[in-house]
């Protein structure tokens, strides 16, 4: 049985987690091109070695980051996203879209 240490809930069976994808720095959604945004959303580097990934503890819906070696599948460490992020990213909707959402 493989165990993953959850930063919030402690060591848990890997079956309790959902993979969320490779961690990548997000381009500014207000100034990047459509091609840059599509690259961020749909493409990954798929490196062999240590990568940082998003994971979620499914039972508690808690998202966190994990450093994992993709060749050996060894989990090196897991940590709360607050170690990387100091503020929330807000997305500005165009005025016409805001009206649709509020209706």
């Amino acid at each position: 049985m493989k165990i993953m240490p959850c930063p919030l809930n402690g060591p848990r069976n890997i079956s309790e987690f959902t993979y969320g994808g490779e961690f990548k720095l997000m381009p500014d959604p207000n100034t990047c091109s459509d091609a840059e945004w599509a690259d961020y959303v749909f493409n990954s580097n798929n490196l062999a070695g240590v990568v940082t990934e998003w994971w979620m503890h499914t039972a508690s819906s808690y998202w966190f980051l994990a450093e994992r070696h993709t060749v050996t599948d060894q989990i090196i460490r897991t940590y709360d996203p607050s170690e990387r992020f100091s503020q929330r990213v807000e997305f500005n909707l165009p005025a016409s879209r805001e009206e649709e959402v509020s209706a």
Side-chain angles (χ1 to χ4, degrees):
M1 168 176 29
K2 183 168 182 165
I3 301 295
M4 177 178 266
C6 176
L8 180 66
N9 300 293
R12 298 283 196 232
N13 187 302
I14 194 73
S15 67
E16 293 186 27
F17 297 94
T18 302
Y19 175 74
E22 178 183 318
F23 171 80
K24 298 185 287 185
L25 293 176
M26 184 176 73
D28 184 341
N30 298 312
T31 60
C32 72
S33 69
D34 289 345
E36 289 171 316
W37 188 254
D39 182 59
Y40 169 72
V41 173
F42 297 111
N43 297 322
S44 65
N45 293 326
N46 199 27
L47 298 174
V50 178
V51 296
T52 303
E53 304 167 324
W54 284 105
W55 284 83
M56 180 184 69
H57 180 248
T58 309
S60 63
S61 298
Y62 172 71
W63 284 93
F64 62 94
L65 292 164
E67 292 176 0
R68 183 177 68 88
H69 196 289
T70 59
V71 176
T72 64
D73 201 29
Q74 177 189 9
I75 299 166
I76 297 161
R77 78 179 189 120
T78 60
Y79 57 97
D80 188 86
S82 65
E83 287 188 32
R84 281 245 175 158
F85 302 103
S86 60
Q87 62 187 22
R88 182 181 170 93
V89 175
E90 298 295 335
F91 292 92
N92 298 323
L93 295 174
S96 60
R97 181 72 177 121
E98 285 181 15
E99 293 168 8
E100 291 176 26
V101 173
S102 64

